[in-house]
Amino acid sequence: MQVEIGTIVDGKVTGIKDFGAFVKLPTGETGMVHISEVAASYVSDIHDFLTIGQDVKVKVLGENDKGKISLSIKQTLPQSEQKNTGAKKNTSFRANRPPIWQGTKHTDSSSLSFEEMMAAFKKSSDEKMSDLRRGSEGRSHRRGNSNKG
């Protein structure tokens, strides 16, 4: 009797390695829980979460062509706990990019080409550099006049 993919079953930890844990299933088969599937948080040392002989609930993720069964402890947790993985989110570059500002007018950068965005950046940068130069020139002239005296 084989376990079905997607089912959650009880198992017992029979071995622990740096990369994951081996779990004996009710069918007598052994599957492996990869370290990334042990807990919802980052796992640097699997021994902090599992011990040999521990009873665990596992979800059957699949079986490879060599008959090895892939399991997850993390996916047996409630959805709210599974989201706390600490992993980087797969979001697009455009969604995380700050808006382009041209003076006080905001431009939606998602509709601009790279060249247009680069031109807007260069214009904004040149304006800021001019402002900085004017500000520093004004200070140096005041200092020069007060020293003569």
Side-chain angles (χ1 to χ4, degrees), residues 56-73:
V56 292
K57 284 201 178 297
V58 292
K59 181 175 183 178
V60 180
L61 300 179
E63 185 176 349
N64 69 13
D65 39 338
K66 295 181 181 178
K68 293 185 179 179
I69 301 169
S70 178
L71 306 170
S72 172
I73 295 171

Side-chain angles (χ1 to χ4, degrees), residues 39-86:
S41 59
Y42 175 74
V43 178
S44 62
D45 184 357
I46 196 168
H47 293 92
D48 292 339
F49 293 85
L50 298 173
T51 58
I52 294 177
Q54 180 179 351
D55 291 323
V56 292
K57 284 201 178 297
V58 292
K59 181 175 183 178
V60 180
L61 300 179
E63 185 176 349
N64 69 13
D65 39 338
K66 295 181 181 178
K68 293 185 179 179
I69 301 169
S70 178
L71 306 170
S72 172
I73 295 171
K74 176 171 70 174
Q75 292 186 32
T76 65
L77 302 172
Q79 285 285 58
S80 60
E81 290 182 43
Q82 288 182 33
K83 292 180 183 178
N84 186 22
T85 61

Side-chain angles (χ1 to χ4, degrees), residues 102-144:
Q102 294 177 327
T104 58
K105 181 184 172 193
H106 172 261
T107 302
D108 180 15
S109 61
S110 63
S111 63
L112 298 177
S113 71
F114 175 78
E115 289 78 17
E116 291 168 324
M117 289 188 292
M118 187 57 99
F121 170 78
K122 186 176 181 322
K123 180 181 176 191
S124 173
S125 178
D126 289 344
E127 289 170 357
K128 289 177 184 178
M129 289 302 293
S130 289
D131 290 345
L132 284 171
R133 281 190 210 104
R134 274 182 284 197
S136 65
E137 287 172 2
R139 284 191 296 266
S140 65
H141 287 297
R142 284 189 294 248
R143 279 190 210 127

Side-chain angles (χ1 to χ4, degrees), residues 33-44:
V33 180
H34 187 267
I35 192 169
S36 65
E37 292 293 328
V38 169
S41 59
Y42 175 74
V43 178
S44 62

